[in-house]
Amino acid sequence: MSNILVVEDEKEIADLVEIYLKNENFNVYKYYRSEEALEQLETLKIDLAILDVMMPVIDGFQLVQKIREKNYNFPIIFATAKVEEIDKIKGLTIGADDYLTKPFEPLELIARVKAQLRRYQKYNAYSPNDNKIEFRGIRINNTTHEFYLNEKKITLTKTEFALLWLLCKNRGTVLKSDDLFRQIWKMDYFDKDNNTIMVHIRHLREKMGDTSKNLKYIKTIYGVGYKIEK
């Protein structure tokens, strides 16, 4: 189930787009202002964004630039009343993938969303290197279950490895505690289960020398979850 970001300051349009997307079984994260969306991006895993251009404070063009500056590469569709060809060219040039002018048929928007997702997923399809990740001194192999930090091999338990792999694979993105628990333990999450994750995170940090006085890798996002910076 794909996660769709909708940023539109006209509430009626935003709500209508949300209804159509949910009818197609998409998860929708809806915001009426660009700055609200930007604040939440680090805690969300977004697969595609639908943006208006004419918004207060931070317009859609500026929002796309900020998204791309943060190295988020998910597809972006503009759905806007700005119909001039120069606006369309500008939107596509600064990083959008498609441009739809208002008024638009909701079903056309859905078709474009699905087309962009297919293209994005095909482009990011599996390759042999998907099971190997290297960055910032970390070298982790999901096939051999080997983990090296600054060329030193570190032995991890199966659960510790699964947790670290998920964090590395989604580096730069905050993973919610409940999502981590469900993916690793394959069980429903309850508040008490956060202690289980905390213990494994602590063990990982100890093995990586990632102490509370010198956290270099695993960051705690309080009240949300954990992430590893790119």
Side-chain angles (χ1 to χ4, degrees):
M1 190 178 293
S2 298
N3 297 327
I4 310 297
L5 175 69
V6 176
V7 188
E8 165 66 68
D9 66 334
E10 293 187 49
K11 187 178 185 300
E12 294 78 8
I13 295 176
D15 293 347
L16 180 63
V17 170
E18 179 183 31
I19 290 171
Y20 274 85
L21 288 169
K22 286 188 172 180
N23 284 342
E24 297 294 325
N25 294 318
F26 291 116
N27 289 323
V28 180
Y29 296 90
K30 178 181 63 178
Y31 300 95
Y32 302 122
R33 298 174 70 89
S34 295
E35 53 270 31
E36 294 173 345
L38 279 174
E39 287 177 5
Q40 297 301 318
L41 265 182
E42 291 189 2
T43 67
L44 301 173
K45 185 180 185 302
I46 297 300
D47 298 296
L48 181 142
I50 301 170
L51 312 178
D52 186 19
V53 172
M54 295 184 290
M55 292 184 291
V57 186
I58 300 175
D59 67 27
F61 292 145
Q62 294 170 316
L63 179 55
V64 168
Q65 290 175 315
K66 291 179 181 295
I67 288 173
R68 295 311 189 209
E69 286 170 2
K70 292 177 178 292
N71 294 317
Y72 295 116
N73 64 346
F74 49 76
I76 296 174
I77 299 174
F78 273 126
T80 176
K82 291 183 76 67
V83 298
E84 297 295 330
E85 191 68 19
I86 188 65
D87 293 316
K88 181 177 181 180
I89 292 171
K90 179 179 179 180
L92 297 174
T93 300
I94 63 176
D97 299 275
D98 201 353
Y99 197 103
L100 185 62
T101 57
K102 298 175 182 175
F104 54 82
E105 288 292 335
L107 291 179
E108 180 183 358
L109 176 62
I110 296 300
R112 294 189 184 219
V113 166
K114 291 181 177 179
Q116 288 295 334
L117 285 173
R118 283 196 301 270
R119 189 174 296 116
Y120 177 67
Q121 290 161 359
K122 181 178 180 180
Y123 180 80
N124 291 279
Y126 174 81
S127 71
N129 289 331
D130 284 347
N131 277 342
K132 300 177 183 178
I133 295 173
E134 292 187 34
F135 70 105
R136 294 180 57 210
I138 288 175
R139 182 153 52 96
I140 186 168
N141 189 314
N142 198 34
T143 300
T144 63
H145 276 229
E146 291 179 317
F147 168 53
Y148 291 82
L149 182 60
N150 297 321
E151 302 304 322
K152 178 183 177 182
K153 187 174 183 179
I154 297 176
T155 301
L156 302 178
T157 66
K158 181 179 179 180
T159 300
E160 290 167 355
F161 186 92
L163 184 56
L164 182 60
W165 173 258
L166 282 174
L167 290 168
C168 291
K169 187 177 180 182
N170 296 279
R171 56 196 179 277
T173 300
V174 178
L175 295 182
K176 296 180 180 179
S177 297
D178 53 346
D179 288 338
L180 284 170
F181 188 86
R182 291 189 188 98
Q183 290 189 63
I184 295 173
W185 280 272
K186 310 299 181 185
M187 297 168 58
D188 289 336
Y189 175 86
F190 299 97
D191 288 343
K192 62 181 177 60
D193 294 319
N194 190 48
N195 292 331
T196 301
I197 296 176
M198 289 174 61
V199 169
H200 284 86
I201 290 289
R202 185 174 73 245
H203 290 167
L204 264 177
R205 284 172 170 159
E206 289 172 353
K207 291 183 177 182
M208 297 172 70
D210 212 17
T211 65
S212 58
K213 294 181 179 180
N214 189 30
L215 284 177
K216 293 181 179 179
Y217 298 102
I218 303 175
K219 308 290 186 182
T220 300
I221 310 301
Y222 291 100
V224 182
Y226 304 90
K227 76 170 179 176
I228 286 183
E229 299 288 1
K230 292 182 179 181

